[in-house]
Amino acid sequence: PEPGPEPEPEPEPEPEPEETSAEAKTRKELATNLMGMMSSFADTVSTIRDKESAEAAAAKFDKIATDFETLASKMEKVGAPTGNQIEEFSALFSKTEEELKEKMQPVLGFLLGDEEVGGILSPAFQSFGERMEKLNPIIEKWGANGGEEEALGEEEAITVEEGEIPIPIPEEAP
């Protein structure tokens, strides 16, 4: 007899959005962490000035690569982004890659042109690049320009803008 609040048959139009938003939040955190690691790599590269700092940086590359591998396995578990997140992450990658180029470009020529430093960095970049390459299929699904810049800019450090600056040339040695 007394009119109570009408029970709504479906409180949520679809049960999916709740789960999706939690996943979306996790994906955003992972993408943000990924960008942080990319920056960390570039920061490490930009600190190299001589043989000692090159050795210190080379040692850090191993840890950074391990962090990338750990993160990539989390990314794989959560699954690739969908919908708007693809564009969002793609824009984030592009922006981060530009920042990394700006950080690393000024030092790369010197680094690989200096015989002592290049001798330390070439194998370190090579090893780092090989480890990153294994992660490309996962990372590319997350908006890393479909392989355009393969290992998130790290590849750049190895190829140095497609051979623009050759690896240590004896003439460049002082």
Short mmCIF file of all heavy atoms in Angstrom, two decimals, residues 41 57-66 68-69 112 118-136 151 154-155 157-159 167:
data_model
loop_
_atom_site.label_atom_id
_atom_site.label_comp_id
_atom_site.label_asym_id
_atom_site.label_seq_id
_atom_site.Cartn_x
_atom_site.Cartn_y
_atom_site.Cartn_z
N PHE A 41 66.66 5.85 -18.06
CA PHE A 41 67.70 5.43 -18.99
C PHE A 41 68.37 6.67 -19.60
O PHE A 41 69.60 6.78 -19.60
CB PHE A 41 67.10 4.55 -20.09
CG PHE A 41 68.11 4.14 -21.13
CD1 PHE A 41 68.94 3.06 -20.90
CD2 PHE A 41 68.24 4.83 -22.33
CE1 PHE A 41 69.89 2.67 -21.85
CE2 PHE A 41 69.18 4.46 -23.28
CZ PHE A 41 70.01 3.38 -23.04
N ALA A 57 77.37 4.09 -15.47
CA ALA A 57 76.13 4.05 -16.25
C ALA A 57 75.89 2.65 -16.80
O ALA A 57 74.76 2.14 -16.73
CB ALA A 57 76.20 5.06 -17.40
N ALA A 58 76.94 2.02 -17.32
CA ALA A 58 76.81 0.67 -17.89
C ALA A 58 76.28 -0.29 -16.83
O ALA A 58 75.43 -1.15 -17.11
CB ALA A 58 78.14 0.20 -18.45
N ALA A 59 76.74 -0.14 -15.59
CA ALA A 59 76.26 -0.99 -14.49
C ALA A 59 74.78 -0.74 -14.23
O ALA A 59 74.03 -1.67 -13.94
CB ALA A 59 77.08 -0.73 -13.24
N LYS A 60 74.34 0.52 -14.35
CA LYS A 60 72.93 0.85 -14.12
C LYS A 60 72.03 0.30 -15.22
O LYS A 60 70.87 -0.01 -14.97
CB LYS A 60 72.73 2.37 -14.03
CG LYS A 60 73.22 2.97 -12.74
CD LYS A 60 72.91 4.46 -12.71
CE LYS A 60 73.56 5.12 -11.51
NZ LYS A 60 73.47 6.59 -11.58
N PHE A 61 72.55 0.21 -16.45
CA PHE A 61 71.74 -0.27 -17.56
C PHE A 61 71.18 -1.65 -17.27
O PHE A 61 70.06 -1.97 -17.64
CB PHE A 61 72.54 -0.33 -18.88
CG PHE A 61 72.95 1.00 -19.43
CD1 PHE A 61 73.98 1.10 -20.34
CD2 PHE A 61 72.31 2.18 -19.04
CE1 PHE A 61 74.36 2.33 -20.86
CE2 PHE A 61 72.69 3.41 -19.55
CZ PHE A 61 73.72 3.49 -20.47
N ASP A 62 71.98 -2.50 -16.63
CA ASP A 62 71.54 -3.84 -16.32
C ASP A 62 70.32 -3.82 -15.41
O ASP A 62 69.34 -4.51 -15.65
CB ASP A 62 72.69 -4.62 -15.67
CG ASP A 62 72.41 -6.11 -15.66
OD1 ASP A 62 72.01 -6.64 -16.71
OD2 ASP A 62 72.56 -6.72 -14.58
N LYS A 63 70.36 -2.99 -14.37
CA LYS A 63 69.23 -2.88 -13.46
C LYS A 63 68.02 -2.29 -14.17
O LYS A 63 66.89 -2.75 -13.99
CB LYS A 63 69.58 -2.03 -12.23
CG LYS A 63 68.44 -2.02 -11.22
CD LYS A 63 68.61 -1.00 -10.13
CE LYS A 63 67.47 -0.99 -9.13
NZ LYS A 63 66.12 -1.20 -9.66
N ILE A 64 68.25 -1.26 -14.99
CA ILE A 64 67.14 -0.65 -15.72
C ILE A 64 66.49 -1.68 -16.64
O ILE A 64 65.26 -1.77 -16.72
CB ILE A 64 67.62 0.60 -16.51
CG1 ILE A 64 68.07 1.70 -15.53
CG2 ILE A 64 66.51 1.12 -17.42
CD1 ILE A 64 68.78 2.88 -16.19
N ALA A 65 67.30 -2.49 -17.32
CA ALA A 65 66.75 -3.53 -18.21
C ALA A 65 65.92 -4.53 -17.41
O ALA A 65 64.84 -4.93 -17.84
CB ALA A 65 67.88 -4.23 -18.96
N THR A 66 66.40 -4.91 -16.23
CA THR A 66 65.66 -5.84 -15.38
C THR A 66 64.33 -5.22 -14.95
O THR A 66 63.29 -5.89 -14.97
CB THR A 66 66.50 -6.23 -14.13
OG1 THR A 66 67.72 -6.81 -14.60
CG2 THR A 66 65.78 -7.21 -13.23
N PHE A 68 62.66 -2.97 -16.62
CA PHE A 68 61.81 -2.99 -17.82
C PHE A 68 61.18 -4.38 -17.99
O PHE A 68 60.00 -4.50 -18.30
CB PHE A 68 62.62 -2.67 -19.08
CG PHE A 68 62.65 -1.21 -19.45
CD1 PHE A 68 63.84 -0.50 -19.39
CD2 PHE A 68 61.51 -0.56 -19.90
CE1 PHE A 68 63.88 0.84 -19.75
CE2 PHE A 68 61.54 0.78 -20.27
CZ PHE A 68 62.73 1.48 -20.20
N GLU A 69 61.98 -5.43 -17.81
CA GLU A 69 61.48 -6.79 -17.99
C GLU A 69 60.38 -7.10 -16.98
O GLU A 69 59.35 -7.70 -17.32
CB GLU A 69 62.63 -7.80 -17.87
CG GLU A 69 63.57 -7.73 -19.07
CD GLU A 69 64.95 -8.33 -18.84
OE1 GLU A 69 65.31 -8.64 -17.69
OE2 GLU A 69 65.69 -8.46 -19.83
N LEU A 112 79.89 7.96 -28.13
CA LEU A 112 80.30 6.88 -29.01
C LEU A 112 81.54 7.25 -29.81
O LEU A 112 82.21 6.40 -30.34
CB LEU A 112 79.14 6.48 -29.92
CG LEU A 112 77.93 5.93 -29.13
CD1 LEU A 112 76.74 5.72 -30.05
CD2 LEU A 112 78.26 4.66 -28.39
N GLY A 118 83.30 4.94 -25.61
CA GLY A 118 82.61 4.12 -26.59
C GLY A 118 82.88 2.64 -26.38
O GLY A 118 81.99 1.80 -26.54
N GLY A 119 84.11 2.33 -25.99
CA GLY A 119 84.49 0.94 -25.74
C GLY A 119 83.69 0.33 -24.59
O GLY A 119 83.42 -0.87 -24.57
N ILE A 120 83.32 1.16 -23.63
CA ILE A 120 82.51 0.69 -22.49
C ILE A 120 81.04 0.66 -22.88
O ILE A 120 80.31 -0.29 -22.58
CB ILE A 120 82.72 1.63 -21.27
CG1 ILE A 120 84.17 1.54 -20.79
CG2 ILE A 120 81.74 1.28 -20.15
CD1 ILE A 120 84.59 2.69 -19.90
N LEU A 121 80.60 1.74 -23.55
CA LEU A 121 79.17 1.88 -23.84
C LEU A 121 78.66 1.00 -24.97
O LEU A 121 77.53 0.52 -24.90
CB LEU A 121 78.84 3.34 -24.17
CG LEU A 121 78.97 4.28 -22.99
CD1 LEU A 121 78.58 5.68 -23.41
CD2 LEU A 121 78.12 3.83 -21.82
N SER A 122 79.48 0.80 -26.00
CA SER A 122 78.98 0.00 -27.13
C SER A 122 78.46 -1.36 -26.68
O SER A 122 77.32 -1.72 -26.99
CB SER A 122 80.03 -0.13 -28.22
OG SER A 122 80.23 1.13 -28.82
N PRO A 123 79.25 -2.15 -25.93
CA PRO A 123 78.71 -3.45 -25.48
C PRO A 123 77.53 -3.30 -24.52
O PRO A 123 76.60 -4.11 -24.54
CB PRO A 123 79.89 -4.13 -24.79
CG PRO A 123 81.02 -3.17 -24.79
CD PRO A 123 80.65 -1.96 -25.56
N ALA A 124 77.55 -2.24 -23.69
CA ALA A 124 76.44 -2.03 -22.75
C ALA A 124 75.15 -1.71 -23.50
O ALA A 124 74.09 -2.25 -23.19
CB ALA A 124 76.79 -0.92 -21.77
N PHE A 125 75.25 -0.82 -24.49
CA PHE A 125 74.08 -0.48 -25.30
C PHE A 125 73.59 -1.72 -26.05
O PHE A 125 72.40 -1.96 -26.19
CB PHE A 125 74.40 0.62 -26.32
CG PHE A 125 74.41 2.01 -25.75
CD1 PHE A 125 75.25 2.97 -26.30
CD2 PHE A 125 73.59 2.39 -24.71
CE1 PHE A 125 75.27 4.28 -25.81
CE2 PHE A 125 73.59 3.69 -24.21
CZ PHE A 125 74.44 4.63 -24.77
N GLN A 126 74.53 -2.49 -26.57
CA GLN A 126 74.21 -3.70 -27.33
C GLN A 126 73.40 -4.67 -26.46
O GLN A 126 72.34 -5.12 -26.85
CB GLN A 126 75.52 -4.37 -27.78
CG GLN A 126 75.35 -5.66 -28.52
CD GLN A 126 75.05 -5.42 -29.98
OE1 GLN A 126 75.52 -4.45 -30.56
NE2 GLN A 126 74.27 -6.29 -30.58
N SER A 127 73.91 -4.94 -25.28
CA SER A 127 73.25 -5.86 -24.36
C SER A 127 71.88 -5.33 -23.96
O SER A 127 70.88 -6.06 -23.96
CB SER A 127 74.15 -6.05 -23.14
OG SER A 127 73.42 -6.64 -22.10
N PHE A 128 71.82 -4.04 -23.63
CA PHE A 128 70.56 -3.41 -23.23
C PHE A 128 69.56 -3.51 -24.38
O PHE A 128 68.41 -3.89 -24.19
CB PHE A 128 70.82 -1.94 -22.86
CG PHE A 128 69.62 -1.25 -22.27
CD1 PHE A 128 69.35 -1.36 -20.92
CD2 PHE A 128 68.78 -0.49 -23.06
CE1 PHE A 128 68.24 -0.73 -20.36
CE2 PHE A 128 67.68 0.15 -22.52
CZ PHE A 128 67.41 0.03 -21.16
N GLY A 129 70.03 -3.20 -25.58
CA GLY A 129 69.18 -3.24 -26.76
C GLY A 129 68.62 -4.63 -27.04
O GLY A 129 67.44 -4.78 -27.38
N GLU A 130 69.45 -5.65 -26.86
CA GLU A 130 68.99 -7.02 -27.08
C GLU A 130 67.90 -7.39 -26.08
O GLU A 130 66.91 -8.03 -26.44
CB GLU A 130 70.16 -8.00 -26.97
CG GLU A 130 71.07 -7.96 -28.18
CD GLU A 130 72.41 -8.66 -27.97
OE1 GLU A 130 72.61 -9.30 -26.90
OE2 GLU A 130 73.26 -8.55 -28.88
N ARG A 131 68.08 -6.97 -24.84
CA ARG A 131 67.06 -7.27 -23.82
C ARG A 131 65.77 -6.52 -24.12
O ARG A 131 64.67 -7.06 -23.97
CB ARG A 131 67.58 -6.94 -22.42
CG ARG A 131 68.67 -7.91 -21.99
CD ARG A 131 69.30 -7.53 -20.68
NE ARG A 131 68.41 -7.76 -19.54
CZ ARG A 131 68.76 -7.51 -18.29
NH1 ARG A 131 69.97 -7.05 -18.01
NH2 ARG A 131 67.91 -7.74 -17.31
N MET A 132 65.89 -5.27 -24.56
CA MET A 132 64.71 -4.46 -24.86
C MET A 132 63.96 -5.03 -26.07
O MET A 132 62.74 -5.00 -26.11
CB MET A 132 65.10 -3.01 -25.17
CG MET A 132 65.60 -2.24 -23.98
SD MET A 132 64.38 -2.09 -22.67
CE MET A 132 64.97 -3.32 -21.55
N GLU A 133 64.72 -5.53 -27.04
CA GLU A 133 64.10 -6.05 -28.25
C GLU A 133 63.10 -7.16 -27.94
O GLU A 133 62.06 -7.26 -28.57
CB GLU A 133 65.19 -6.55 -29.20
CG GLU A 133 64.76 -6.48 -30.63
CD GLU A 133 65.94 -6.30 -31.56
OE1 GLU A 133 66.61 -5.26 -31.48
OE2 GLU A 133 66.17 -7.24 -32.34
N LYS A 134 63.42 -7.98 -26.95
CA LYS A 134 62.52 -9.07 -26.57
C LYS A 134 61.20 -8.52 -26.01
O LYS A 134 60.18 -9.20 -26.05
CB LYS A 134 63.18 -9.96 -25.52
CG LYS A 134 64.34 -10.74 -26.07
CD LYS A 134 65.02 -11.59 -25.00
CE LYS A 134 66.25 -12.26 -25.57
NZ LYS A 134 67.38 -12.21 -24.66
N LEU A 135 61.24 -7.29 -25.49
CA LEU A 135 60.05 -6.70 -24.89
C LEU A 135 59.22 -5.91 -25.91
O LEU A 135 58.08 -5.55 -25.64
CB LEU A 135 60.45 -5.77 -23.74
CG LEU A 135 61.36 -6.38 -22.68
CD1 LEU A 135 61.69 -5.36 -21.62
CD2 LEU A 135 60.74 -7.63 -22.06
N ASN A 136 59.79 -5.62 -27.07
CA ASN A 136 59.10 -4.82 -28.08
C ASN A 136 57.67 -5.27 -28.37
O ASN A 136 56.78 -4.43 -28.41
CB ASN A 136 59.88 -4.78 -29.39
CG ASN A 136 61.01 -3.77 -29.33
OD1 ASN A 136 61.08 -2.97 -28.41
ND2 ASN A 136 61.89 -3.83 -30.29
N ALA A 151 62.71 0.05 -29.53
CA ALA A 151 62.81 -0.17 -28.09
C ALA A 151 62.63 1.12 -27.33
O ALA A 151 63.44 1.49 -26.51
CB ALA A 151 64.12 -0.83 -27.72
N GLU A 154 65.42 3.53 -26.75
CA GLU A 154 66.70 2.94 -26.37
C GLU A 154 67.41 2.47 -27.64
O GLU A 154 68.61 2.58 -27.76
CB GLU A 154 66.50 1.70 -25.48
CG GLU A 154 66.38 2.04 -24.06
CD GLU A 154 65.03 2.60 -23.73
OE1 GLU A 154 64.62 3.59 -24.34
OE2 GLU A 154 64.37 2.08 -22.85
N GLU A 155 66.63 1.96 -28.55
CA GLU A 155 67.16 1.48 -29.82
C GLU A 155 67.97 2.61 -30.47
O GLU A 155 69.00 2.39 -31.05
CB GLU A 155 65.98 1.10 -30.71
CG GLU A 155 66.34 0.33 -31.92
CD GLU A 155 66.65 -1.12 -31.68
OE1 GLU A 155 66.54 -1.63 -30.56
OE2 GLU A 155 67.04 -1.76 -32.64
N ALA A 157 69.70 4.85 -29.07
CA ALA A 157 71.02 4.96 -28.46
C ALA A 157 71.97 3.96 -29.11
O ALA A 157 73.15 4.23 -29.25
CB ALA A 157 70.93 4.67 -26.97
N ILE A 158 71.44 2.84 -29.54
CA ILE A 158 72.28 1.81 -30.14
C ILE A 158 72.59 2.15 -31.59
O ILE A 158 73.71 2.10 -32.01
CB ILE A 158 71.58 0.44 -30.04
CG1 ILE A 158 71.39 0.10 -28.58
CG2 ILE A 158 72.41 -0.64 -30.72
CD1 ILE A 158 70.17 -0.66 -28.31
N THR A 159 71.55 2.52 -32.34
CA THR A 159 71.77 2.79 -33.76
C THR A 159 72.24 4.22 -33.98
O THR A 159 72.74 4.54 -35.04
CB THR A 159 70.49 2.56 -34.58
OG1 THR A 159 69.47 3.42 -34.06
CG2 THR A 159 70.06 1.12 -34.54
N ILE A 167 80.43 4.56 -34.74
CA ILE A 167 81.04 4.10 -33.50
C ILE A 167 82.53 4.41 -33.58
O ILE A 167 83.07 4.50 -34.67
CB ILE A 167 80.78 2.58 -33.32
CG1 ILE A 167 79.29 2.28 -33.41
CG2 ILE A 167 81.40 2.05 -32.05
CD1 ILE A 167 78.49 2.44 -32.15
#
